[in-house]
Amino acid sequence: MAEKLKYFVNGQFRESKTDKWYDLHNPSTGEITGQAPCCTNDEVLEAIAAAKAAYPGWSATPAIKRAQILYRVRELILERMDELTMSVAKENGKVWAESEGDVLKAKEGTELATQVPSLMMGESIMDASRGYDTVKYREPLGVFAGIVPVNFPAMIPFGWMAPTCIAAGNTLVLKAASLTPKTAMLFAQLYKDAGVPDGVINVVTCSRNEINTILEHPDVKGITPVGLKIYEKAAANGKRCQALCQAKNHALVMEDCALERTVAGVINSAFGCAGQRCMALSCCVVQDSIADAFVAEL
């Protein structure tokens, strides 16, 4: 029987009470490697409540202390690089080098977040107007939610979302991609091992119905999602929203290019990660004078 994954709330892996499960496949072999829960609405509410409860203590933690914990997160990513890389390769189907690159991008995002004492510095000016000085502070806001795509199970949630979110003193409910959640669960344990307090990061897998609960919940102050519809719903509910939508990428190939190297770059851009990335090349415009040579080189 396939392994049934748990969800991660308040520093604990919990068994879901759901009756709906997502089959997880190894794209390289086609075998079913486990099942992820479609967490119930109550379980998603538990995650939001845990993040809300953790927020006062975490936001009051000095920025330098939060940075020190993230330094430990970085160390553990390096120590567990092979385990994390294998997880990405097995659940996402990337070759080893691309899987390792996915994890390394999570490390880089963590390194950026360790600079939070500088990144969160405010500004001040004396005599902005006669008799008035101005001061600006940067403060955390509360609970944020991240809705993760299937194609980068390490980089996007744990390079772009989690490190900067918690470094700034916010807490996070992460909706892992339902078809590639194992890497997210490994990272959840890694963050706990690094000293991130319980409730600061919570990881669930669920359907769009439970996502609506996240989008509409008054305690969730901001969303980092994929997709226009989620952006529209988040904005309609008055939440900050940073949407990751597909780019439309063009290559312009001119006659003075290094043809062989350019063709190799175009192929890598279009088909690296099996084309499953927002920056995948979708259109190539080639100068007429070298169009036939370009096609022949492909």
Side-chain angles (χ1 to χ4, degrees):
M1 179 178 291
E3 173 196 6
K4 290 185 180 292
L5 269 65
K6 300 176 181 179
Y7 66 103
F8 185 79
V9 168
N10 203 29
Q12 296 179 335
F13 286 98
R14 301 180 181 181
E15 293 184 3
S16 176
K17 295 181 174 63
T18 187
D19 58 2
K20 181 179 178 181
W21 298 81
Y22 301 103
D23 286 339
L24 308 178
H25 295 83
N26 181 335
S28 300
T29 64
E31 67 176 319
I32 294 177
T33 60
Q35 291 183 312
C38 177
C39 289
T40 67
N41 199 61
D42 285 344
E43 290 165 350
V44 172
L45 289 172
E46 286 176 16
I48 296 172
K52 181 181 179 181
Y55 172 70
W58 182 243
S59 61
T61 301
I64 188 65
K65 176 61 176 178
R66 298 196 299 262
Q68 289 167 352
I69 293 174
L70 284 164
Y71 274 115
R72 180 57 180 156
V73 169
R74 177 191 180 275
E75 291 173 1
L76 290 180
I77 291 174
L78 291 173
E79 290 177 13
R80 302 177 188 179
M81 180 63 66
D82 286 351
E83 179 186 13
L84 295 167
T85 299
M86 182 62 76
S87 177
V88 173
K90 283 186 174 181
E91 70 174 355
N92 183 268
K94 292 176 182 170
V95 298
W96 184 268
E98 288 178 339
S99 300
E100 186 176 52
D102 193 344
V103 178
L104 286 171
K105 288 298 181 182
K107 177 189 74 75
E108 290 177 6
T110 305
E111 289 169 342
L112 172 64
T114 62
Q115 306 308 307
V116 65
S118 297
L119 296 174
M120 288 194 71
M121 290 177 65
E123 299 175 4
S124 63
I125 182 171
M126 296 179 65
D127 294 322
S129 183
R130 185 176 298 276
Y132 290 91
D133 300 338
T134 64
V135 179
K136 179 173 74 175
Y137 297 97
R138 291 187 171 93
E139 298 178 340
L141 294 172
V143 178
F144 276 71
I147 301 173
V148 183
V150 71
N151 55 343
F152 284 89
M155 178 185 76
I156 291 178
F158 292 97
W160 296 0
M161 295 180 179
T164 49
C165 176
I166 71 168
N170 302 295
T171 56
L172 180 65
V173 175
L174 197 70
K175 188 276 175 188
S178 298
L179 300 181
T180 56
K182 290 187 173 182
T183 303
M185 298 305 175
L186 287 176
F187 267 98
Q189 182 63 58
L190 184 152
Y191 270 59
K192 181 177 176 65
D193 293 344
V196 175
D198 295 347
V200 172
I201 286 186
N202 308 273
V203 184
V204 298
T205 48
C206 60
S207 73
R208 66 182 63 186
N209 295 324
E210 292 75 34
I211 287 176
N212 284 336
T213 295
I214 295 173
L215 295 176
E216 296 169 358
H217 200 288
D219 289 335
V220 177
K221 304 303 181 185
I223 309 282
T224 302
V226 289
L228 182 60
K229 292 297 182 183
I230 292 177
Y231 177 86
E232 290 175 348
K233 195 170 188 66
N237 281 274
K239 302 184 189 303
R240 291 165 173 80
C241 189
Q242 182 184 43
L244 313 174
C245 295
Q246 180 180 1
K248 193 67 175 177
N249 306 297
H250 293 68
L252 302 179
V253 182
M254 310 304 291
E255 63 183 4
D256 61 346
C257 72
L259 188 61
E260 183 176 346
R261 189 171 65 192
T262 300
V263 168
V266 165
I267 292 172
N268 179 66
S269 177
F271 300 105
C273 295
Q276 295 298 312
R277 55 184 176 184
C278 60
M279 294 303 292
L281 186 66
S282 54
C283 182
C284 192
V285 181
V286 184
Q287 194 166 356
D288 284 344
S289 59
I290 60 167
D292 290 341
F294 180 86
V295 172
E297 188 69 31
L298 289 171

